[in-house]
Every structure is written in C-alpha cells, then in structure tokens.
Amino acid sequence: MKANHHFAFLLPQNQEWFSPKEVAAIIGKSDQYVRDAFDNQRILGHASNARSTQVRRKTYQIHRDGLLLFLMETANYEPSDFLQRLTGLLRHRTRPELEKLQGELGRLIARQF
C-alpha cells in the first residue's frame, strides 16, 4: 500500500488547494501553526503578496500533495505498521466477532470494485 493513498482519504476528494485555515482543521492545529510550518518549509505550497489599499499581507496556498507529504513525514508509522497492529488486535477477537467482521469486509471490498 502506498503511503499517499493511506492518508489521501483524510482530505476532501475534489479539492487541490487549501488555505492555512483549512489545513489547520485537517491536522488539528492552529492556522498560525500552519503559516509557521509553511515559512519553515515543513509544509510546502505557494505564497503571494496580496495588497489592499491599507494592508499588505501574504496569502498562502497549500497544494494537496504538500499536505499529503506533511502527513506522511509527521506520521510515526508506516501504512504496513498500521495493518500489522490491526491484525494483532484481531487475533484476540472471538470467532463470532471475526465472522461478523469478515462479512463487513466482504461488503466493503465489493463496494470498492
């Protein structure tokens, strides 16, 4: 399983660009944290100067790939680790629980194809 697919479900499907506020909501941090991470190149994206008649401010645009990269770099696990630990949890389930889970997995798999 590729890591970017493992994290992609966390992001809105048809959205390519995100504001710091949107990124903050996804990663559970403040938008100031996101802007600081952007300025330190921990989160990659594009910045431009926006100017109104009275205020000059920087606007940030974070591409989906930059956000996925941040999620992959800050995860303390690999997708295969996740599956191994999940399998470990399942070893302690009863037969009826595993049979019910098997039925649910069958429905999930059928829905994806």
Side-chain angles (χ1 to χ4, degrees):
M1 172 186 284
K2 291 186 177 181
N4 61 339
H5 294 298
H6 182 75
F7 294 102
F9 80 95
L10 297 170
L11 307 181
Q13 260 188 334
N14 297 320
Q15 188 171 351
E16 291 295 314
W17 294 96
F18 298 85
S19 70
K21 187 174 184 176
E22 291 170 322
V23 171
I26 291 167
I27 66 173
K29 300 287 186 181
S30 70
D31 49 332
Q32 184 60 55
Y33 174 91
V34 173
R35 287 191 298 274
D36 290 343
F38 184 98
D39 290 338
N40 294 324
Q41 293 186 331
R42 292 201 61 225
I43 296 177
L44 302 177
H46 298 270
S48 61
N49 289 324
R51 197 179 353 176
S52 68
T53 56
Q54 303 188 356
V55 179
R56 185 177 204 181
R57 68 179 239 215
K58 195 187 246 183
T59 60
Y60 300 86
Q61 294 180 329
I62 298 154
H63 191 269
R64 178 183 199 84
D65 292 343
L67 181 50
L68 285 171
L69 183 60
F70 176 79
L71 290 171
M72 291 185 320
E73 289 176 342
T74 57
N76 69 351
Y77 66 94
E78 296 290 325
S80 59
D81 297 334
F82 178 80
L83 292 175
Q84 284 176 336
R85 291 182 75 171
L86 183 59
T87 302
L89 286 172
L90 294 175
R91 285 190 185 109
H92 303 288
R93 301 293 60 155
T94 65
R95 182 178 182 97
E97 289 173 325
L98 291 171
E99 288 170 350
K100 184 174 182 175
L101 184 59
Q102 183 179 26
E104 291 296 322
L105 286 171
R107 281 187 281 286
L108 285 173
I109 291 168
R111 199 172 67 192
Q112 289 187 358
F113 296 104

